[in-house]
Amino acid sequence: MADTIHASADLSCDPLWRQAEACLRTLYGDDHRFEHSLIDLKARVADACSARPTALRHLDMTRANTPNWFLKPGRPAYCTYIDRFAGTLEGTAQHLDYLEGLKVGIFHPLPLLKPREGNSDGGFAVADYREVDPRLGTMEDLRALAAELRARDMSLVLDMVCNHTAREHPWAQKMLAGDPAFADFYIVLDSANEVAEWEAALQDVFPDTAPGSFTYDAGAGGYVWTTFYPFQWDLNYANPRVFVEMADSLFFLANAGVEGFRLDSTAYLWKRKGTISRNLPETHLILQALRALLTLVAPSTFLLAEAIESQASVLPFFGTPQARECDLAYNNGVMTALWGALADQKAGVLKTTIARAGEKPAHGHWLNYVRCHDDIIWLALSDTAAPERLTHWSDFFAGKGSYAKGEAFQAPEGFPASGCGMAASLCGGKDDPQMPARLKLLYGLTYALEGVPLLYMGDEIALENFDAYRDDPDLKDEVRWLHRPVMDWDTAGRRHAPGSVEHDMYAFHRQLADTLSAIDFKPGQSVCTEAEERLVIIERPLAAGRFVCVANLSAEPVIHKVAGRVLIGSDNDTLPAYGLRWFIEES
Ligand code: GLC
């Protein structure tokens, strides 16, 4: 099909094009700019199809019958900042053996496109979607890294910061300069009254450091919609031209060798007065159209939803088999509940969230994780856990009366403060003899879940909090930098020294990966409703028998009889404090 498109550039009859067109017509059919935008979009899709490099077309073909190719068994995703991991893109290429040692299958560097100068929210304020941050390298370096990763059977995933651009982005600059083609690219309200009307239903993301969702901008002549920081201007997706530009930016990066996109802040794309302006049906239509068009241009490229919302709100981001949206989504509900279970030493809410995660459609998959570069947002579990539990967890990981060495982060009024800190520190830190067992418990459970496991840089060697952020004037006001450390390669070198915690953790991750890659899983997963509340037990079907992961969430030994071949942990009937066991029950 792709070749026909390249040859004729006539998309009109292609079912994927028609699917995208139908979504866009629903969204924009009444807009006078629509028909022209559609012609423009069609030309860009055709151009992107013909510009697709041969090596990537080949990849598309080899993956044509395996749409879930990214579920590489035993191959975790690895997430890091390029500058903090290796300085530059070229430098990163020097550390691929380190990633191979962990059997990494997906490499996700956090935003590396050209950001605005100064504070850029860790790169999430993009000034150009077609250029790399010059401090990190060039587009050529990015293509080279993508190719090198491909050669090693690793896939490059990038963020697509699709909800907003930096104020410095050319689209914003052209709007400010009065260019009519960019007149309506952002949302600018005229009066403080209007702002108040919208704000009444909105929820602040950064209530302390960036209160409100609007920023007065004299150049723009009004109040610009800024969900996050004032320099991050929300795009106006009610304008069909915005969709065209964003889709085209995605095609450009896909053709540079990006094999998957993390769609940043996906929940926020569409706004409607009187609503919280998150997870609206129009946002899902945008994603359906994007998915269909990306399948035309770069069929083997996946979309990952970053929607840190309640589980009920995240599930729709997979779409349906007929109207697919994202291929993967962060399993935020389970991640948050996992930390809660560690604090409570009880499975409670964790079991509920694992069961609910199972409600996903077969074509969608979870990205399972323990930590990432953001805070743990307790309020995302508000519909599942009692408010006093959430408050307890928030306090616990902020170190109030507990072993955890984390810090509180801002949350909307009336909700418990979110949590910051590296996993090792939240588990007690290197001085706490229980830390390695707790950290292994969390990762052992996460790797056992159906989906793609994510390893956050540093956790594989139990790197602790980056306290030095407080000494950096550019970072000191943002607690999230506490868990964005600079990779310490000297410490990492100790992974070769048996007896060190680094060796222990790195070898453990390798063992998890090796073990998983030898198992022939079938789709599906269940969580046992065992009466022993200190245990969580996950089961996954195999061709013959089943895989079982048992974790003791408590600081006390618990009896649990092994009924099978043990893969990880001991085969003793007593599961030690924070003990983890994987085994196979043959049928
Ligand atoms: C996402 C990112 C976060 C950023 C925000 C605004 O949630 O993960 O780090 O601050 O979007 O771009």
Side-chain angles (χ1 to χ4, degrees):
M1 182 179 61
D3 282 333
T4 325
I5 292 161
H6 303 145
S8 67
D10 181 21
L11 295 164
S12 306
C13 301
D14 189 285
L16 286 163
W17 170 263
R18 290 164 70 141
Q19 188 186 349
E21 183 182 337
C23 295
L24 298 174
R25 203 166 280 288
T26 308
L27 286 169
Y28 305 118
D30 297 336
D31 191 300
H32 68 280
R33 296 164 294 199
F34 178 59
E35 295 303 335
H36 183 266
S37 298
L38 202 62
I39 293 168
D40 186 11
L41 180 65
K42 196 187 279 182
R44 298 205 205 194
V45 170
D47 285 352
C49 284
S50 26
R52 183 116 177 113
T54 313
L56 299 176
R57 280 190 205 188
H58 183 71
L59 201 64
D60 294 337
M61 275 182 326
T62 57
R63 290 174 177 168
N65 296 321
T66 50
N68 300 335
W69 61 265
F70 46 81
L71 291 180
K72 304 173 180 177
R75 307 286 306 280
Y78 189 87
C79 178
T80 185
Y81 288 95
I82 292 291
D83 57 341
R84 304 176 94 70
F85 182 64
T88 61
L89 288 171
E90 257 186 41
T92 302
Q94 311 305 313
H95 287 297
L96 299 187
D97 289 348
Y98 180 82
L99 300 181
E100 271 186 348
L102 295 160
K103 298 192 92 167
V104 167
I106 292 173
F107 181 60
H108 171 214
L110 284 151
L112 50 71
L113 298 177
K114 189 178 165 197
R116 74 191 289 271
E117 280 178 23
N119 184 359
S120 66
D121 185 21
F124 283 100
V126 178
D128 195 332
Y129 292 106
R130 290 165 196 254
E131 253 190 72
V132 167
D133 180 342
R135 290 166 297 190
L136 307 178
T138 62
M139 269 313 293
E140 264 328 294
D141 295 339
L142 186 69
R143 288 191 183 94
L145 180 65
E148 176 63 24
L149 287 166
R150 259 197 324 276
R152 294 177 182 238
D153 189 26
M154 288 190 241
S155 300
L156 178 67
V157 174
L158 285 196
D159 284 273
M160 195 47 170
V161 186
C162 49
N163 176 67
H164 45 268
T165 72
R167 185 189 190 275
E168 290 74 8
H169 191 283
W171 302 338
Q173 290 304 304
K174 286 181 193 168
M175 184 187 91
L176 290 171
D179 183 337
F182 293 86
D184 203 15
F185 257 57
Y186 301 85
I187 305 160
V188 187
L189 303 185
D190 293 334
S191 69
N193 276 348
E194 225 191 316
V195 168
E197 281 171 28
W198 278 89
E199 290 265 17
L202 301 176
Q203 195 177 56
D204 281 5
V205 178
F206 300 137
D208 300 346
T209 50
S213 297
F214 296 85
T215 302
Y216 182 76
D217 189 284
Y223 300 82
V224 179
W225 196 307
T226 54
T227 297
F228 299 92
Y229 284 108
F231 50 79
Q232 290 166 303
W233 284 21
D234 285 46
L235 285 157
N236 178 19
Y237 276 90
N239 176 353
R241 288 182 181 148
V242 167
F243 178 88
V244 175
E245 290 300 340
M246 191 50 76
D248 201 27
S249 308
L250 211 68
F251 305 156
F252 170 81
L253 290 167
N255 280 350
V258 177
E259 296 179 39
F261 291 100
R262 172 189 179 275
L263 297 179
D264 183 63
S265 310
T266 359
Y268 294 81
L269 303 184
W270 198 272
K271 336 280 196 203
R272 192 180 324 119
K273 206 185 222 175
T275 74
I276 194 168
S277 292
R278 276 155 47 185
N279 311 311
L280 292 177
E282 291 88 345
T283 291
H284 290 288
L285 283 174
I286 291 170
L287 294 174
Q288 284 165 33
L290 259 191
R291 179 61 269 177
L293 296 174
L294 197 61
T295 306
L296 274 173
V297 173
S300 62
T301 311
F302 69 74
L303 294 179
L304 158 65
E306 192 253 343
I308 310 305
E309 302 286 320
S310 71
Q311 283 186 298
S313 301
V314 177
L315 285 164
F317 281 89
F318 292 121
T320 64
Q322 296 73 33
R324 284 174 49 201
E325 296 183 24
C326 293
D327 309 277
L328 279 159
Y330 280 84
N331 201 349
N332 165 64
V334 171
M335 179 279 290
T336 311
L338 201 53
W339 286 104
L342 188 69
D344 288 354
Q345 305 191 28
K346 279 185 200 157
V349 175
L350 178 59
K351 286 193 210 170
T352 315
T353 56
I354 295 175
R356 199 172 283 171
E359 292 168 20
K360 70 169 188 59
H363 70 273
H365 302 280
W366 293 112
L367 182 72
N368 299 307
Y369 65 123
V370 173
R371 285 297 289 119
C372 70
H373 70 291
D374 281 330
D375 42 314
I376 304 172
I377 302 176
W378 306 110
L379 84 82
L381 277 188
S382 297
D383 65 345
T384 313
E388 56 278 11
R389 284 285 25 89
L390 299 179
T391 304
H392 173 69
W393 299 344
S394 168
D395 290 348
F396 187 96
F397 290 105
K400 293 187 192 158
S402 83
Y403 54 75
K405 297 185 175 66
E407 274 188 45
F409 187 63
Q410 50 195 314
E413 214 186 319
F415 289 101
S418 296
C420 288
M422 286 296 283
S425 300
L426 297 178
C427 286
K430 282 185 175 164
D431 297 338
D432 184 332
Q434 302 273 38
M435 180 278 281
R438 292 185 190 119
L439 191 52
K440 286 180 181 175
L441 174 98
L442 296 176
Y443 268 98
L445 271 166
T446 301
Y447 271 57
L449 292 167
E450 193 183 15
V452 179
L454 173 77
L455 177 47
Y456 182 60
M457 186 203 85
D459 288 351
E460 71 278 14
I461 51 166
L463 220 56
E464 295 173 284
N465 287 343
F466 177 65
D467 291 311
Y469 88 94
R470 291 192 190 87
D471 306 327
D472 185 330
D474 290 338
L475 309 181
K476 68 175 179 27
D477 296 326
E478 243 281 8
V479 187
R480 288 181 297 172
W481 288 99
L482 182 66
H483 51 252
R484 298 170 179 176
V486 176
M487 186 54 163
D488 180 344
W489 288 106
D490 287 340
T491 303
R494 289 209 289 270
R495 72 189 182 281
H496 302 300
S500 67
V501 68
E502 294 79 13
H503 178 270
D504 184 28
M505 288 310 301
Y506 193 91
F508 175 71
H509 275 94
R510 176 63 188 224
Q511 188 194 8
L512 294 180
D514 280 339
T515 308
L516 284 179
S517 52
I519 302 176
D520 187 11
F521 287 106
K522 298 286 161 236
Q525 162 180 290
S526 55
V527 60
C528 292
T529 47
E530 166 114 356
E532 172 51 80
E533 54 184 9
R534 291 171 297 175
L535 297 182
V536 61
I537 306 176
I538 299 163
E539 296 181 348
R540 293 176 60 187
L542 306 175
R546 56 187 171 178
F547 163 89
V548 185
C549 165
V550 189
N552 175 8
L553 296 158
S554 80
E556 308 294 330
V558 174
I559 303 285
H560 181 265
K561 293 215 187 303
V562 188
R565 183 162 53 88
V566 173
L567 306 170
I568 302 248
S570 85
D571 56 6
N572 195 307
D573 278 348
T574 304
L575 209 53
Y578 304 115
L580 173 84
R581 180 183 290 148
W582 286 6
F583 63 95
I584 286 187
E585 248 178 45
E586 322 272 355
S587 58

